Amino acid sequence: MIAERTLRRYRKENAAAMRGIIEAVVHFLLGILVCRGTIFINLAPFGGSYIAAVPRKHLIWSVLGTSVGYIILNPSQPFRYVAVVIAVAAVRWTLDDIKQLSRSVIYAPTVAFLPVLASGIAMMFVSTSTLSYFSTVLIEALLAAGAAYFLKKSLLLFDEGRRITSLSRSEMACVALAGCVVMLSLGSIEVERVSLGRILSVAVIMVCARYGGAAGGAVAGVATGAVFGMTGKGYAFICAGYSFGGLIGGLFAVSGKLGVAVSFIICNTIMLLSAGDSSVMTPIFIETLIGLGVFMILPKEVERYITPLFLPRESTRGERSLRNSVVMRLDFASSALNNVSDCVNSVSRELKKLYAPDVDSVYESASEDVCKNCGMRVYCWERHKNSTKEDFARLSAPLKSQGYVTESDVENLFSKKCCRQIEVADSINRGYGDYIGGIEAGERVGEIRSMVAGQFSGLSEILGDLAAEIEDYKSYDPDSSARVLEYLRGEGLLPVECSCMIDTNGRMSVEIQLAKGKTALKKNALAKDISALCARCFDTPLVTEVGTRQRVVLNEIPVYDIEVGVYQHVFNRGKLCGDCVNCFSNGFGQFVALISDGMGTGGRAAVDSNMTVSIMTKLLKAGLSEDCALKVVNSALMVKSEDESLATVDLMKIDLFSGKTVFNKAGAPYTYIKKGGHLLKKTATSLPVGILGNVKFSKEKIKLSGGDVAVMVSDGAFTDDEKWLERLIRDFSNARCADLAKEVVNEAIKRRNDAHDDDITAVVVRLIEN
């Protein structure tokens, strides 16, 4: 175990070091490459643009690359541009720490513009340059600033790990223009005047025309043509040839690759002939043919990556509007149900004030029943009414203490002689019995009313959770969903629905609903194949069965993995444990450890704790929050039987992508955390479920990282002294989590000194970096 963990850490450190070396080499080579891009024959300002745009962590290697590139590959003005590169790097080194300045959108363009302009002006004064040279220098500086802006945006997007299909139109435009700068640099790589950059440009224009239609082809043609037209080597006609070819090629996109290729080469050849420069005709024509060949041999698999770039964004806006509409309606429904709950409780309180049973009504009923036909009524209730009421009121003491009154009580407590003592006593006893029954019924109705109101509140929270979950998803990927459905059918499964959703963090989750069939579901193969289809890395799927359907959820592989150890001791070594435990992934990139301790021991406690854990597990896997699940469990325990049913809930939820951990406790004891060599104790005052209608979790939060350990125990593990438990956890390092859980339980059994056995459960969880 120790060797495996050490090897994993060693591999991770090596991978990080290798990644750093590769990134340094890539930025060094890019620095050399961008120096080759020239405009107006011999101006090459894009090295300064690249230094202004590159992330600071790659600044040194990029400066070295551009300096080498200018000295070796740009013989016209090498030292001017090296000075520009050094000046830009010096400015960035000084000002990058001022976040308010460095985060401005004009920061990179300004840092590139000023050194290029200043160096050009300096060159103008030391030579016999004219005013037209100044205008050229000004244009050069403006182009350097624009290139810095587009390179900065593009490098930030790729540094964030954004996928090309998730970019907005403006972001894609920035990437495209940054790509034009790179292609211009590749354009200087020539063999017999045949340029690598222009070959790639031809292929890109045809691809854009094929999958983006006339608009895609025309835009690609204008962008690349304008870039190569500025080189000033007699290639100004290229802009017209590329633009016209891209437009006509897009119009013939319905004819497939061949239609695009033929139409482009005809249009480009026409513009080439109209230029009349025989010295460039042959290399340009050769470049067009080679670019056409590259376009034609592109494999069909490329289509699934290229096509989404040209899908109309209106569908995304419509999808967002639909999502917002669903969220809004769920929120309104949640609020309405919550208002119903409040209304039920409010009306109940008012009715209770108006119609609550009163002991005085018992005496009034007795007087109506017995005294109505008595000959002494006039004397007792008309002449001495107040005295008679006081006589009845004095019966309250024996009535409440005994639950009934006797003939002697009436005789002794009445100030006047009553001729119907037996009838009065019997009537009061009957009325008091009804009174007590009314109170008990009212309490029971109140409990039921409270539970019904709680159900409305719980349903309100369910809808609120669903609204929050839908709102958290940024977009829906219909193409990936279609590919997954086709794959599932090909595997002999019976898919009902598939949904590929991307959340606000850019992570994709795949939810599949399957009808049960004869074909067995192979989890590992499913994760591997769907990962390839969606170009993601998915973890082992979570499968939940509901009736005749299966719900399959796949999430991307998280940052952390979990090692779990569980051990239990049953009271008197019986068959039924009053503690119930479950550890699982909820299908949303989160790990849940759950312990419930039923009241007492034996079968009844086992029923309550198992019912609690079972309901909580199903609701959490369905995507509901722990607070919502707690309310449902509480209502279920309260209506389960007439006898009192209660259970504690100790729930730990860990986000496996961030390490953020929430401890939810309802009547549960401490949870111990070993983090960075320090021992922490998490607890909160709260009540178990099944007692009151409005139960809530007490919460504690912490952020865990790789190697941190959490230990959860039921209350049976606690003795008079807890230092032994803290010592065991503090000394735990490289052993298995299962060993620590077993040691905690066995030590707790030894240390019980109250001559009373109990159910004991220990759960040990350790985070491991993937």
Side-chain angles (χ1 to χ4, degrees):
M1 188 70 184
I2 299 174
E4 289 180 5
R5 193 171 292 112
T6 304
L7 181 60
R8 190 186 298 115
R9 188 182 301 112
Y10 175 75
R11 288 176 177 173
K12 184 176 180 180
E13 291 173 354
N14 280 353
M18 183 59 66
R19 184 166 57 249
I21 294 172
I22 292 173
E23 289 178 352
V25 171
V26 168
H27 282 85
F28 179 82
L29 295 177
L30 281 175
I32 295 176
L33 178 63
V34 294
C35 297
R36 299 182 64 92
T38 58
I39 55 174
F40 305 140
I41 299 176
N42 62 352
L43 300 181
F46 300 116
S49 303
Y50 180 67
I51 298 302
V54 74
R56 184 169 178 173
K57 61 183 178 180
H58 303 303
L59 186 60
I60 294 177
W61 287 103
S62 301
V63 169
L64 290 174
T66 50
S67 300
V68 170
Y70 277 128
I71 293 172
I72 297 177
L73 304 176
N74 196 334
S76 59
Q77 299 178 357
F79 296 107
R80 175 204 169 191
Y81 290 118
V82 170
V84 168
V85 167
I86 295 174
V88 172
V91 171
R92 287 199 56 193
W93 198 268
T94 305
L95 300 180
D96 271 9
D97 290 329
I98 306 175
K99 297 301 181 184
Q100 189 173 1
L101 179 64
S102 61
R103 290 175 180 172
S104 172
V105 293
I106 64 171
Y107 176 67
T110 304
V111 170
F113 175 81
L114 292 176
V116 172
L117 180 64
S119 64
I121 293 174
M123 293 291 293
M124 185 176 68
F125 280 113
V126 299
S127 63
T128 57
S129 302
T130 62
L131 186 62
S132 63
Y133 182 77
F134 174 74
S135 62
T136 302
V137 168
L138 182 60
I139 294 172
E140 178 190 26
L142 290 172
L143 288 173
Y149 174 80
F150 296 123
L151 287 169
K152 174 80 171 179
K153 294 281 287 185
S154 302
L155 289 171
L156 280 176
L157 292 172
F158 287 110
D159 200 47
E160 292 171 359
R162 294 278 301 279
R163 297 177 184 274
I164 192 72
T165 53
S166 69
L167 302 182
S168 64
R169 287 293 190 200
S170 60
E171 291 170 337
M172 287 180 63
C174 290
V175 173
L177 289 170
C180 288
V181 174
V182 175
M183 279 196 285
L184 178 63
S185 302
L186 292 172
S188 61
I189 302 176
E190 296 181 348
V191 177
E192 297 295 332
R193 301 191 69 178
V194 175
S195 166
L196 174 62
R198 289 193 293 271
I199 291 172
L200 292 178
S201 297
V202 170
V204 168
I205 294 169
M206 291 188 186
V207 168
C208 292
R210 172 68 181 90
Y211 300 106
V219 170
V222 170
T224 55
V227 167
F228 284 105
M230 288 189 295
T231 56
K233 300 177 181 178
Y235 293 123
F237 69 93
I238 283 181
C239 184
Y242 284 1
S243 307
F244 187 43
L247 174 65
I248 301 303
L251 293 175
F252 282 89
V254 293
S255 302
K257 282 187 176 181
L258 186 60
V260 173
V262 171
S263 57
F264 179 85
I265 198 170
I266 291 174
C267 295
N268 197 46
T269 302
I270 291 173
M271 292 299 170
L272 178 62
L273 293 173
S274 66
D277 188 350
S278 58
S279 63
V280 298
M281 286 185 182
T282 301
I284 294 296
F285 188 73
I286 293 173
E287 291 165 1
T288 304
L289 290 177
I290 297 174
L292 184 150
V294 172
F295 169 68
M296 294 299 293
I297 64 174
L298 284 176
K300 291 185 178 180
E301 288 74 13
V302 176
E303 289 189 22
R304 72 182 187 185
Y305 298 105
I306 296 177
T307 303
L309 302 179
F310 299 98
L311 290 176
R313 297 291 168 161
E314 288 75 17
S315 61
T316 303
R317 289 198 294 270
E319 172 194 325
R320 188 179 298 113
S321 299
L322 178 60
R323 185 195 67 179
N324 291 340
S325 176
V326 172
V327 169
M328 181 178 63
R329 292 182 68 178
L330 286 173
D331 279 334
F332 274 121
S334 174
S335 299
L337 286 170
N338 204 33
N339 290 337
V340 169
S341 173
D342 294 339
C343 182
V344 168
N345 287 327
S346 177
V347 171
S348 173
R349 287 192 296 268
E350 294 301 321
L351 289 176
K352 189 173 182 179
K353 293 178 183 177
L354 292 174
Y355 301 107
D358 186 3
V359 73
D360 289 340
S361 63
V362 175
Y363 305 137
E364 291 175 4
S365 176
S367 66
E368 286 290 324
D369 184 33
V370 178
C371 302
K372 179 173 62 175
N373 299 320
C374 180
M376 298 297 292
R377 179 179 177 80
V378 174
Y379 176 80
C380 295
W381 288 101
E382 293 184 11
R383 294 181 184 180
H384 302 283
K385 182 177 182 179
N386 292 334
S387 176
T388 304
K389 284 186 174 182
E390 291 174 359
D391 290 341
F392 275 97
R394 281 192 288 271
L395 294 173
S396 296
L399 194 60
K400 290 180 180 178
S401 62
Q402 303 171 173
Y404 61 90
V405 294
T406 62
E407 179 184 352
S408 60
D409 291 329
V410 176
E411 182 178 2
N412 295 332
L413 296 175
F414 272 32
S415 61
K416 302 178 295 297
K417 182 70 174 178
C418 178
C419 59
R420 295 192 174 184
Q421 296 172 357
I422 297 176
E423 290 90 334
V424 168
D426 291 342
S427 180
I428 289 175
N429 289 336
R430 286 195 304 272
Y432 188 70
D434 294 339
Y435 165 74
I436 294 299
I439 291 177
E440 292 174 351
E443 290 175 351
R444 183 58 180 165
V445 169
E447 292 176 1
I448 295 173
R449 187 185 297 113
S450 174
M451 285 185 286
V452 171
Q455 292 297 329
F456 279 119
S457 177
L459 185 57
S460 167
E461 289 200 14
I462 290 174
L463 295 178
D465 287 348
L466 291 174
E469 182 183 339
I470 294 173
E471 191 173 20
D472 188 50
Y473 286 110
K474 183 178 180 181
S475 60
Y476 169 74
D477 189 346
D479 296 324
S480 295
S481 301
R483 290 194 296 270
V484 172
L485 284 172
E486 184 178 355
Y487 159 76
L488 294 172
R489 295 188 184 104
E491 292 294 313
L493 299 170
L494 304 175
V496 177
E497 188 57 75
C498 175
S499 178
C500 297
M501 294 171 289
I502 302 172
D503 64 16
T504 51
N505 296 313
R507 297 193 291 260
M508 177 182 284
S509 66
V510 181
E511 294 189 21
I512 306 167
Q513 188 177 143
L514 299 172
K516 288 185 179 179
K518 296 181 179 179
T519 305
L521 190 65
K522 299 177 181 178
K523 293 184 180 181
N524 292 333
L526 185 71
K528 181 180 178 181
D529 294 340
I530 293 182
S531 296
L533 289 171
C534 299
R536 305 267 180 158
C537 293
F538 289 112
D539 203 353
T540 304
L542 173 69
V543 180
T544 308
E545 295 191 4
V546 180
T548 59
R549 299 289 175 90
Q550 288 180 316
R551 179 174 179 263
V552 182
V553 180
L554 295 97
N555 288 288
E556 293 190 39
I557 295 177
V559 176
Y560 298 106
D561 198 359
I562 294 290
E563 180 191 357
V564 184
V566 179
Y567 198 76
Q568 284 187 304
H569 165 72
V570 182
F571 169 75
N572 283 341
R573 303 195 180 276
K575 294 182 178 180
L576 298 176
C577 184
D579 297 344
C580 185
V581 61
N582 194 14
C583 300
F584 58 92
S585 171
N586 65 359
F588 300 92
Q590 297 168 331
F591 172 82
V592 177
L594 176 62
I595 298 177
S596 178
D597 184 359
M599 181 179 66
T601 58
R604 183 169 176 178
V607 169
D608 291 343
S609 62
N610 276 271
M611 179 177 173
T612 299
V613 170
S614 176
I615 295 175
M616 290 285 290
T617 300
K618 289 178 180 178
L619 295 179
L620 292 173
K621 285 185 176 181
L624 301 186
S625 69
E626 56 270 25
D627 295 314
C628 180
L630 184 73
K631 286 194 172 185
V632 176
V633 168
N634 188 56
S635 298
L637 285 176
M638 292 181 71
V639 302
K640 178 176 72 72
S641 67
E642 294 182 359
D643 298 327
E644 185 179 47
S645 296
L646 61 90
T648 66
V649 180
D650 195 357
L651 189 153
M652 177 177 65
K653 184 170 72 174
I654 305 174
D655 188 323
L656 298 179
F657 288 95
S658 65
K660 293 179 180 178
T661 304
V662 183
F663 301 95
N664 302 273
K665 293 184 178 292
Y670 303 127
T671 294
Y672 291 90
I673 305 295
K674 185 180 179 184
K675 179 175 175 62
H678 300 285
L679 188 64
L680 308 174
K681 189 161 60 174
K682 297 295 181 181
T683 186
T685 303
S686 56
L687 292 174
V689 291
I691 300 176
L692 300 177
N694 189 23
V695 65
K696 292 183 178 179
F697 274 126
S698 294
K699 295 177 179 285
E700 287 278 343
K701 296 181 181 179
I702 193 173
K703 186 171 182 179
L704 302 179
S705 54
D708 291 344
V709 177
V711 179
M712 304 167 64
V713 291
S714 62
D715 59 4
F718 288 93
T719 60
D720 294 337
D721 182 12
E722 300 168 12
K723 292 183 179 179
W724 65 269
L725 180 55
E726 296 177 3
R727 177 181 53 78
L728 284 178
I729 299 171
R730 191 177 285 111
D731 294 343
F732 176 71
S733 57
N734 295 322
R736 297 187 310 153
C737 290
D739 295 336
L740 177 59
K742 183 176 181 180
E743 189 175 2
V744 167
V745 172
N746 290 336
E747 192 68 20
I749 296 172
K750 294 178 185 177
R751 290 179 175 269
R752 293 199 68 89
N753 53 14
D754 56 0
H756 173 69
D757 196 8
D758 198 359
D759 299 309
I760 303 174
T761 298
V763 176
V764 181
V765 176
R766 174 162 49 198
L767 261 70
I768 302 172
E769 295 186 6
N770 278 322

